[in-house]
Amino acid sequence: MPNFTLKQDEKLSIKLTHHMKQGTFRRIDLYFSLPKEMGINKDTLSEVDYFNAGINGRRAYHTNGLHLPLLHRRFASRMKRSTTEYKSNLNLFAYQYISALDTDANEVLAINDSEGLADFYHAAVDLTEHCLDILKKHRSHQPTSAKLTSIYENVDNYLSWYTEQTIMRMLVKKPRNSEFSETRLALLAICDEENQYRKKKGYNSEATLKDPNRIANKMRLLRRLIEYGVIFKSKTLILGNHTRKLVTGVATALLMSVVLVLIIKTQGAFSQLTTLMIFILAIIYGVREVFKDEFKNMLWRWIRRGKPKWSRTLFDSTNQQEIARQKVWLDYSISKKLPQQSRDLLAERHSQNKQSAQLLHYRIESRISRQGFQAGYDTIEENIFFSLRPLTRFVEGGTGKVFERLESTSNKEKIQTTSIERRYQINVIVALDQGQYDAQFERYRITLNRSGIIEIEKAGEAKIKDRAEKKLQSKLYSLLHIKRRK
C-alpha cells in the first residue's frame, strides 16, 4: 500500500499527503505530463514562477486516529505553566483533533453502502460518541485565569462548531432512509446541543449567528489562530546565488576577452580613427550585448543541471528547534530521463491518450532530525499543495456544439443541440523513495477544464473499472446472441 495520498483540495488544486518518521530520509518525485497543445514550457511558464505561485506546503506533528488526541490529559498537567505554553499546548491538541476528525469522517463516508446504510450509521454514531467524549474531557480542564480563559474559549468555540459541521456533512452526503430515521434524528439532536452550548456560553454575537458568511469567516479566523502556533515555521533559501554571481563574472570575462581581441585586431587594421572603425566597434559591442544574456543563461543551466534550486529548514513553532531540512528541485524534463517504472506506467495509457507531452519534474528530499520533537510525537505530516490555476490560463475556454437527432420524439425532424466544453488530461506519476529497494510508483489521471478539476482517478482503479465494464459488455453480448439464436 502506498504511504501517500493524492486528492483534490480545492477547485483548481491538488494535495499530496505523506508522513515521515523521526530520524528518517524521504524522497518524493512528481512527474507532470502536460499535453503540448496546452503550450506550457520553460518559455511560457518558468520553473521559478510556478514554484512561487503554484506550490505551497504545510507541515505539522501527526497522530493516527481520534484516540490519540486524548493526550490532552498530558497537556492538562502542563497547562499551569506560562500563558505561551498553555496556548501552544491547547492549539496543538485542537489541531490534532481537527486533523483526526477529518481523517475518520472521510473513512466513514467511504464505507460501501450499496447493500444498505447500517454500516455507515453505526460508524457515524461511534465517531460522534468518540468526539463527545474528547470534548467532555477537554471542557473538564477549563482554566480559571482570565488570561487563559479567552484562549480556551476561542478553541472551544471552534471545536464545537467544527464537530457540528462535520456530523451534518456526513449526513448530507448520504441518502435518507426511513429505517435509520431515529439514528439520523439523534445525530441531529447532538448538533443542536452543540449549537445551544455555544449560545449559552455567549461565544458568538446574535448578528454573527444570523449571517452564515460572518460565522463562517469568524471560524476560519479561529482556525488560522489555532494553526499559527502548530504548523512548523519554514525558512526557504534560493540556492546558487553565489554561483550565479560567479557565472555572471565568468561569462562577462569571456565575452570581454573576445571583444578586446576583436578591438585590437580592428585597431591593427585601421591605424587611424575612421568612421568605418567606429562602425565596426559599434557592431562588436552590439553583438556582445545580444549574446551576453544567452551565454550567461546557457552556462548557468549547464552548471546547475541536476542540482536543487531551493533549500528549506523547518522549525518547531514553540521551542524553535530544528525539525527537518529539505531540498527542492523543479525542472522541465524529457521522456528519456524518466525512470523505467514511470515509463511503464505512462505506457499503460489508452492509445488515444498517448499524445506528445511536456514533462515537469518536482522533487523534494527531506531529512528529519532525531532531536527537537515535542514529547509524545515521532511523526511529521506534510501536505504539499499544487495549484493548477497557473496552468489553466493556457487552457482554451471555447466551447463547441454537438448535434443529435431525436428518434424517440413524435417530430422526427427535430435535432437536439448540446453545448460541450474543452477538456484536458494531465497524467501525474508519484514516486516515493525512488532509487531504494521499497520504491513505490502510482499514476493519477487529472481531467480538468478552464474552470476547475473535473475528476482525479488513480490508474489502477481506472483499469479495474474498464475490466468490469468489458466483462459486463461481454455478458450482454452473449445474452443477446443467445436470444437471437432462439
Side-chain angles (χ1 to χ4, degrees), residues 2 5 83-84 86 111 122 131 147 193 252 264 422 432-433 435:
T5 58
T83 305
T84 304
Y86 175 84
I111 293 175
H122 179 72
C131 290
K147 291 182 179 179
E193 289 176 5
T252 304
I264 292 170
R422 185 72 180 269
L432 183 68
D433 292 332

Side-chain angles (χ1 to χ4, degrees), residues 174-193:
K174 294 293 181 179
R176 295 183 183 181
N177 192 321
S178 58
E179 183 181 352
F180 303 100
S181 59
E182 292 184 2
T183 306
R184 187 182 181 90
L185 289 174
L187 292 173
L188 290 174
I190 292 172
C191 295
D192 293 337
E193 289 176 5

Side-chain angles (χ1 to χ4, degrees), residues 266 273-286:
T266 304
L273 186 64
T274 61
T275 305
L276 181 60
M277 180 181 176
I278 294 173
F279 180 71
I280 293 174
L281 290 175
I283 292 176
I284 292 172
Y285 276 102

Side-chain angles (χ1 to χ4, degrees), residues 27 31 42 89 99 123 183 208 252 316 331 389 406 435 465:
R27 171 181 166 182
Y31 301 93
K42 62 183 179 181
N89 291 329
S99 300
T183 306
T208 303
T252 304
D316 188 298
D331 296 288
R389 195 171 298 278
L406 299 179
K465 288 181 182 178

Side-chain angles (χ1 to χ4, degrees), residues 47 50-57 312 330 362 384-387:
E47 299 96 324
Y50 183 64
F51 179 81
N52 293 327
I55 303 178
N56 291 306
R312 183 185 294 117
L330 186 64
Y362 174 86
I384 308 174
F385 303 90
F386 297 90
S387 174

Side-chain angles (χ1 to χ4, degrees), residues 23-279:
T24 58
F25 174 81
R26 168 64 54 84
R27 171 181 166 182
I28 290 184
D29 292 86
L30 276 85
Y31 301 93
F32 292 86
S33 179
L34 309 172
K36 282 198 172 180
E37 61 178 330
M38 293 178 70
I40 300 174
N41 52 57
K42 62 183 179 181
D43 297 322
T44 57
L45 180 64
S46 68
E47 299 96 324
V48 176
D49 290 342
Y50 183 64
F51 179 81
N52 293 327
I55 303 178
N56 291 306
R58 189 171 62 201
R59 296 107 189 150
Y61 291 118
H62 172 72
T63 56
N64 293 317
L66 263 177
H67 57 286
L68 285 178
L70 287 174
L71 47 83
H72 185 270
R73 291 178 178 177
R74 177 176 61 83
F75 288 157
S77 63
R78 300 162 59 186
M79 294 301 177
K80 298 178 181 179
R81 300 183 184 180
S82 66
T83 305
T84 304
E85 289 185 358
Y86 175 84
K87 184 177 181 180
S88 63
N89 291 329
L90 187 61
N91 286 342
L92 187 57
F93 158 74
Y95 180 81
Q96 294 299 331
Y97 175 85
I98 295 164
S99 300
L101 181 57
D102 287 339
T103 302
D104 289 7
N106 290 333
E107 289 179 359
V108 172
L109 288 171
I111 293 175
N112 185 7
D113 54 2
S114 58
E115 297 180 359
L117 296 170
D119 292 339
F120 164 74
Y121 277 104
H122 179 72
V125 169
D126 287 345
L127 177 60
T128 304
E129 291 177 351
H130 210 163
C131 290
L132 294 178
D133 185 41
I134 293 174
L135 291 177
K136 183 180 178 181
K137 287 181 170 62
H138 158 66
R139 289 163 183 168
S140 66
H141 296 291
Q142 184 173 352
T144 56
S145 171
K147 291 182 179 179
L148 304 182
T149 300
S150 60
I151 301 172
Y152 166 84
E153 289 179 350
N154 285 337
V155 172
D156 190 40
N157 186 13
Y158 182 79
L159 293 185
S160 174
W161 180 82
Y162 195 74
T163 302
E164 174 196 330
Q165 292 295 308
T166 302
I167 295 171
M168 288 194 286
R169 176 169 65 91
M170 290 191 298
L171 295 177
V172 156
K173 291 190 175 182
K174 294 293 181 179
R176 295 183 183 181
N177 192 321
S178 58
E179 183 181 352
F180 303 100
S181 59
E182 292 184 2
T183 306
R184 187 182 181 90
L185 289 174
L187 292 173
L188 290 174
I190 292 172
C191 295
D192 293 337
E193 289 176 5
E194 286 298 318
N195 191 8
Q196 293 300 321
Y197 169 80
R198 295 194 302 276
K199 288 182 179 179
K200 183 180 178 182
K201 291 289 185 178
Y203 287 157
N204 308 296
S205 65
E206 290 294 331
T208 303
L209 292 173
K210 290 179 181 178
D211 189 350
N213 291 315
R214 288 185 64 174
I215 189 68
N217 287 323
K218 180 179 179 179
M219 293 303 167
R220 191 178 293 113
L221 174 61
L222 293 179
R223 178 153 184 170
R224 284 204 301 268
L225 292 175
I226 291 171
E227 293 177 345
Y228 177 77
V230 176
I231 296 175
F232 296 149
K233 293 181 180 178
S234 63
K235 183 180 179 181
T236 304
L237 297 176
I238 301 174
L239 298 177
N241 282 332
H242 297 295
T243 308
R244 181 180 287 275
K245 293 177 182 178
L246 182 62
V247 167
T248 302
V250 171
T252 304
L254 291 174
L255 285 173
M256 282 304 298
S257 300
V258 175
V259 169
L260 288 173
V261 170
L262 292 174
I263 290 173
I264 292 170
K265 295 233 179 234
T266 304
Q267 287 180 339
F270 300 92
S271 57
Q272 296 180 354
L273 186 64
T274 61
T275 305
L276 181 60
M277 180 181 176
I278 294 173
F279 180 71

Side-chain angles (χ1 to χ4, degrees), residues 468-481:
E469 288 177 0
K470 286 179 181 178
K471 285 183 180 179
L472 182 61
Q473 288 178 359
S474 62
K475 286 182 180 179
L476 290 172
Y477 287 142
S478 61
L479 289 171
L480 289 171
H481 184 66

